[in-house]
């Protein structure tokens, strides 16, 4: 497994408390450091504020060869909702071509639907796959949220890439057999949300009221890490890293220091006995804790 640098934090305020995005210089330093220190994959989306624009500035610097980067981006969410099937291809192509101009490249390695429900629509998938035929993308896929959506993708031979949430608190795609199934398919799986927007790294007292149900799980993880003498960052990364069906772990950072730290922790080896133990401890975390779209944020 390898790391994939996610860029939502570069393009917009992001995280449980809407942590402020870094300045352009910091974002570029992170992209430079990542690509010069073993990270080949970069993930972005049109919905990530100015993230595509920042990547475009980085790629135009030519500090790393484009062929050495696996770049994925996503169609704007809900773009096809009001289209007739005859318009799907046109809308998809127009959006991707705009992204390519912004990114400063003539192709992406993966182009994804950002609306997971499109995974069930064969006509939409067929239109999406046409960007491969025209050389605009090497692979197409879907950024999913639920195991059923992943399974729908795996039933369609046009889809060769899936991005899904998976973390020490969120075992849903494993429990549903997605990891086992994808190992038998010609399909690449990247997973995101290893830190659940920072939730798994927060002090218990810092967790917002709307996520009060998460406090016992975060407290237990902190207790385990203190007893074992390891960082919660290391444990969160190691839990995902052990899954051979996952090719890349997508993670985001707000600073160069954080990036350096995450890379170092990812390179560490964690005992399988420890990982098996925490697998059982966090085997039944409520969906409303692990799915950010279900978080009912306080209106204060």
């Amino acid at each position: 497994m390898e790391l994939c640098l996610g860029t939502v934090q570069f393009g917009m305020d992001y995280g449980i408390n809407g942590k402020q995005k870094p300045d352009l210089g910091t974002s570029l330093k992170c992209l430079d450091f990542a690509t010069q220190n073993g990270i080949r994959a970069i993930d972005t989306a049109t919905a990530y504020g100015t993230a595509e624009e920042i990547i475009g500035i980085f790629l135009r610097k030519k500090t790393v060869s484009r062929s050495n980067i696996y770049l994925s981006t996503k169609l704007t969410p809900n773009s096809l909702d009001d289209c007739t099937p005859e318009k799907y291809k046109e809308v998809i192509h127009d959006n991707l071509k705009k992204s390519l101009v912004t990114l400063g490249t003539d192709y992406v390695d993966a182009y994804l639907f950002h609306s997971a429900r499109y995974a069930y629509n064969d006509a939409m998938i067929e239109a999406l796959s046409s960007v491969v035929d025209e050389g605009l993308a090497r692979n197409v896929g879907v950024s999913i949220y639920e195991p059923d959506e992943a399974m729908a993708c795996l039933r369609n031979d046009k889809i060769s890439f899936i991005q899904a949430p998976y973390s020490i608190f969120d075992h849903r795609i494993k429990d549903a057999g997605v990891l086992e199934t994808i190992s038998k398919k010609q399909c690449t799986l990247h997973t995101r949300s290893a830190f659940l927007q920072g939730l798994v790294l927060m002090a218990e007292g810092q967790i917002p009221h709307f996520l009060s149900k998460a406090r016992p799980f975060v407290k237990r993880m902190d207790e385990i890490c203190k007893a074992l003498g390891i960082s919660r960052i290391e444990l969160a990364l190691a839990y995902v890293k052990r899954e051979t069906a996952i090719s890349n772990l997508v993670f985001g950072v707000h600073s160069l220091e954080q990036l350096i730290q995450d890379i170092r922790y990812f390179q560490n080896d964690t005992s399988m006995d420890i990982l098996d133990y925490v697998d059982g401890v966090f085997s039944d975390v409520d969906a409303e804790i692990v799915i950010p779209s279900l978080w009912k944020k306080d209106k204060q």
Side-chain angles (χ1 to χ4, degrees), residues 51-228:
E52 284 190 336
E53 180 181 341
I54 291 168
I55 294 172
I57 295 170
F58 165 71
L59 290 178
R60 289 181 179 93
K61 289 171 57 184
K62 299 186 184 299
T63 55
V64 61
S65 171
R66 171 67 183 90
S67 62
N68 290 332
I69 296 174
Y70 191 101
L71 178 61
S72 57
T73 192
K74 308 174 191 76
L75 178 69
T76 304
N78 311 318
S79 293
L80 304 181
D81 286 7
D82 298 323
C83 295
T84 60
E86 293 76 18
K87 288 287 186 179
Y88 290 163
K89 182 176 177 180
E90 178 183 345
V91 171
I92 291 168
H93 280 239
D94 286 349
N95 276 267
L96 177 51
K97 287 175 181 177
K98 288 177 183 177
S99 288
L100 293 176
V101 170
T102 303
L103 291 165
T105 184
D106 56 3
Y107 74 97
V108 290
D109 296 278
Y111 193 52
L112 313 181
F113 280 148
H114 214 160
S115 299
R117 65 187 184 279
Y118 292 173
Y120 300 103
N121 189 310
D122 289 344
M124 290 181 178
I125 296 296
E126 182 69 30
L128 181 66
S129 69
S130 66
V131 300
V132 175
D133 298 333
E134 297 194 17
L136 301 176
R138 301 285 172 82
N139 300 276
V140 295
V142 185
S143 176
I144 65 96
Y145 298 87
E146 300 286 346
D148 287 350
E149 295 160 351
M151 287 301 194
C153 291
L154 292 172
R155 289 191 292 270
N156 193 315
D157 292 338
K158 299 284 187 182
I159 293 176
S160 54
F161 188 103
I162 298 172
Q163 188 185 102
Y166 184 66
S167 71
I168 195 169
F169 287 172
D170 185 0
H171 307 175
R172 292 172 301 139
I173 62 168
K174 180 167 65 176
D175 293 343
V178 174
L179 297 183
E180 181 180 358
T181 303
I182 206 165
S183 296
K184 304 171 185 176
K185 298 279 188 177
Q186 294 296 316
C187 188
T188 298
L189 174 63
H190 286 198
T191 60
R192 62 181 185 274
S193 302
F195 302 135
L196 272 174
Q197 294 193 17
L199 173 63
V200 301
L201 308 179
M202 296 182 78
E204 184 185 358
Q206 294 177 322
I207 297 173
H209 178 72
F210 64 83
L211 277 171
S212 58
K213 287 185 177 181
R215 288 174 185 161
F217 297 103
V218 174
K219 180 181 179 181
R220 183 65 181 128
M221 183 176 177
D222 189 43
E223 291 171 345
I224 291 170
C225 288
K226 286 178 178 177
L228 295 171

